[in-house]
Amino acid sequence: MSIRGRDPKGLGSFLMARRAELEPGQVGLPDPGTPRRVVGLRREEVAELAAISTDYYTRVEQGRMRASAPVLAAIARALRLTDDQRTYLFDLAGRPPVESPVRPDRTVSTHTRRLLDQLTESPALVLSDTMDVLGWNRLAAALLIDFGRIPEKDRNYVWLLFVDPALRALYDDWEAGAHDCVAYLRMHTARRPDDPRLRDLVARMASHTDFQRWWQSRDVAVQGVGNKVFHHPVAGTLTLDWDTLTSSTVPDQHVVVWTARPGSPSERGLRLLAASTAESVRAAVGSRAPGPDGNEQAAQGR
């Protein structure tokens, strides 16, 4: 049976060239250490990685079978194709154009940063789909953790929620909050299964029993609103509502804002925290006051 793709021979040549570029060790397969008759991966190894039969893959590569879109996607993952190579693969196979997986934008726009700064009485974060913390305002740092002191590779809300004792202690119900975060991450796998940030995060969380248990349960959830109770050393007990605002231009970024009911003790607690934060900023600025030579020097007696 011949496929009706645009270029069956070109498809086979392309697949052979791509598998010739990979060695078993690069894709997590054992290397027996014996001489190999082919350069790169064998057909059966590609088939194993793509979770299809060797006969099926061989027919696709030889132009004798038209692969479905899911199979092509699996082959693309197995061969570690780039976005452009993936698009080319689908084109060669005569399949309708598919949207290449868009790489998440990790740059927070100037407008969004301005919005964060102007929210002086509401903690706010910018989170990615994988819950990387991309931006925050001063009140969020005061409420949760000083994200600026965290290395960028560790600046992930789920990671910090499991490994940072201070952040964990803030939660009145840590287990419920952490479980919700894991369920959100699991939901993300369906939208972007090849996201390297997600893959790396899951690998790093392998030693955390609770994470592994919840991850394997495959619970999923997408919540845009909710409430949390925090026990803060400065602001006291805070019952805060949170809302998620997703950018229409950068759908991979979500602004999470915490607010308190007007007139409540929690609102007063947030104002106390905001005032304390503002005072700390003023003190820090004052300690860097310019000296007689115009250079910043520590202010004495402050």
Side-chain angles (χ1 to χ4, degrees):
M1 179 177 65
S2 175
I3 67 173
R4 297 181 180 179
R6 297 181 184 177
D7 189 358
K9 293 183 180 179
L11 174 65
S13 299
F14 179 69
L15 290 175
M16 286 189 287
R18 298 289 74 77
R19 63 183 174 89
E21 295 174 342
L22 296 172
E23 297 297 330
Q26 293 177 267
V27 293
L29 294 176
D31 189 344
T34 57
R36 297 167 65 88
R37 290 181 297 175
V38 297
V39 177
L41 297 180
R42 302 186 182 99
R43 285 173 177 163
E44 56 265 32
E45 291 170 331
V46 178
E48 178 184 347
L49 292 168
I52 58 179
S53 71
T54 301
D55 181 66
Y56 192 143
Y57 177 78
T58 300
R59 287 171 178 268
V60 171
E61 188 176 283
Q62 292 179 343
R64 296 186 290 122
M65 177 174 287
R66 189 180 189 206
S68 65
V71 167
L72 288 173
I75 292 172
R77 288 194 296 270
L79 293 174
R80 306 296 196 266
L81 300 187
T82 66
D83 291 351
D84 289 343
Q85 289 172 337
R86 175 191 168 100
T87 299
Y88 184 62
L89 173 66
F90 274 78
D91 191 41
L92 286 174
R95 287 293 176 186
V98 295
E99 183 180 355
S100 299
V102 179
R103 299 190 184 280
D105 189 348
R106 299 179 58 81
T107 303
V108 179
S109 70
T110 302
H111 295 169
T112 301
R113 291 191 180 278
R114 186 185 305 146
L115 170 65
L116 294 179
D117 292 339
Q118 292 179 356
L119 291 172
T120 57
E121 294 188 356
S122 294
L125 297 173
V126 179
L127 298 177
S128 71
D129 274 344
T130 51
M131 301 195 76
D132 289 326
V133 180
L134 307 180
W136 60 92
N137 63 6
R138 289 173 180 168
L139 199 51
L143 172 66
L144 301 166
I145 187 174
D146 186 352
F147 297 102
R149 296 182 180 274
I150 306 297
E152 185 176 356
K153 68 180 181 64
D154 295 332
R155 209 177 290 157
N156 178 278
Y157 200 84
V158 179
W159 171 257
L160 293 171
L161 198 55
F162 276 84
V163 305
D164 189 275
L167 181 59
R168 182 170 182 149
L170 284 175
Y171 274 67
D172 181 71
D173 189 346
W174 174 87
E175 184 168 330
H179 181 269
D180 287 346
C181 288
V182 175
Y184 179 85
L185 281 179
R186 174 57 81 175
M187 189 77 179
H188 176 64
T189 62
R191 295 194 297 267
R192 205 183 299 277
D194 297 323
D195 191 325
R197 298 285 297 186
L198 177 61
R199 186 170 58 246
D200 292 345
L201 175 61
V202 173
R204 294 182 71 190
M205 298 298 295
S207 62
H208 296 273
T209 304
D210 286 332
F211 180 90
Q212 288 299 318
R213 174 164 54 88
W214 295 330
W215 186 256
Q216 294 303 326
S217 72
R218 296 183 177 272
D219 290 338
V220 294
V222 176
Q223 287 182 288
V225 297
N227 61 76
K228 287 286 183 291
V229 177
F230 297 102
H231 299 292
H232 195 273
V234 174
T237 298
L238 302 172
T239 301
L240 303 179
D241 298 320
W242 58 270
D243 293 85
T244 303
L245 312 174
T246 300
S247 171
S248 60
T249 55
V250 191
D252 299 297
Q253 295 184 7
H254 316 279
V255 180
V256 181
V257 183
W258 283 272
T259 57
R261 183 169 53 84
S264 67
S266 295
E267 184 187 46
R268 292 192 291 273
L270 277 184
R271 287 180 176 174
L272 173 64
L273 188 59
S276 174
T277 302
E279 181 60 33
S280 297
V281 171
R282 285 193 293 269
V285 172
S287 68
R288 297 193 299 270
D293 59 356
N295 295 321
E296 290 184 349
Q297 64 180 20
Q300 300 299 318
R302 295 185 184 180

